[in-house]
Amino acid sequence: QVQLVESGGGLVQAGGSLRLSCAASGSWFIRYTIYWHRQAPGNEREWVAVISAGGTPNVADSVKGRFTISRDNAERTVYLHMNSLKPEDTGVYYCSAKFLDSQHWGQGTQVTVSS
């Protein structure tokens, strides 16, 4: 069991940067693969980034070169570094933790990028 809380969202102008945090509580954080997804109004939830329990990162083509995912196991926190933000990056960003067949989701944090 792991509980996740996202933070760091807000309003930013196009071209700006934000760092989202996903703070975890509970046991066995190092076992979990951590994902970031986002969802804009009227759209389906979209996968954005993932980092494995071993620390291997990957991001979606739509954010490649702009977003970076990292984790600090000692602090039990996963970060999503977002640069060169575009209006189409607007949405609610969710982190989730997966181990075997179990997946836990945070409550989400709103990111709004203005033109």
Side-chain angles (χ1 to χ4, degrees):
Q1 183 73 32
V2 62
Q3 299 176 38
L4 307 171
V5 178
E6 302 96 332
S7 63
L11 176 64
V12 65
Q13 293 189 171
S17 299
L18 285 173
R19 186 183 74 169
L20 305 185
S21 298
C22 176
S25 62
S27 300
W28 300 111
F29 173 76
I30 60 172
R31 293 184 174 183
Y32 286 89
T33 297
I34 307 297
Y35 298 82
W36 284 98
H37 291 77
R38 66 188 182 189
Q39 188 167 22
N43 289 64
E44 63 184 14
R45 188 168 295 184
E46 174 190 21
W47 171 74
V48 175
V50 61
I51 187 163
S52 72
T56 302
N58 196 20
V59 301
D61 288 341
S62 60
V63 302
K64 196 176 297 293
R66 299 187 298 118
F67 290 13
T68 302
I69 187 170
S70 62
R71 68 189 294 164
D72 187 330
N73 288 335
E75 296 183 357
R76 296 186 175 186
T77 302
V78 171
Y79 301 99
L80 185 67
H81 305 263
M82 306 187 296
N83 300 310
S84 302
L85 283 161
K86 305 174 181 179
E88 52 262 43
D89 294 319
T90 293
V92 179
Y93 283 69
Y94 301 89
C95 67
S96 64
K98 185 176 182 180
F99 179 67
L100 299 178
D101 293 330
S102 180
Q103 187 163 8
H104 307 271
W105 294 82
Q107 84 292 339
T109 185
Q110 176 71 44
V111 172
T112 303
V113 184
S114 62
S115 300

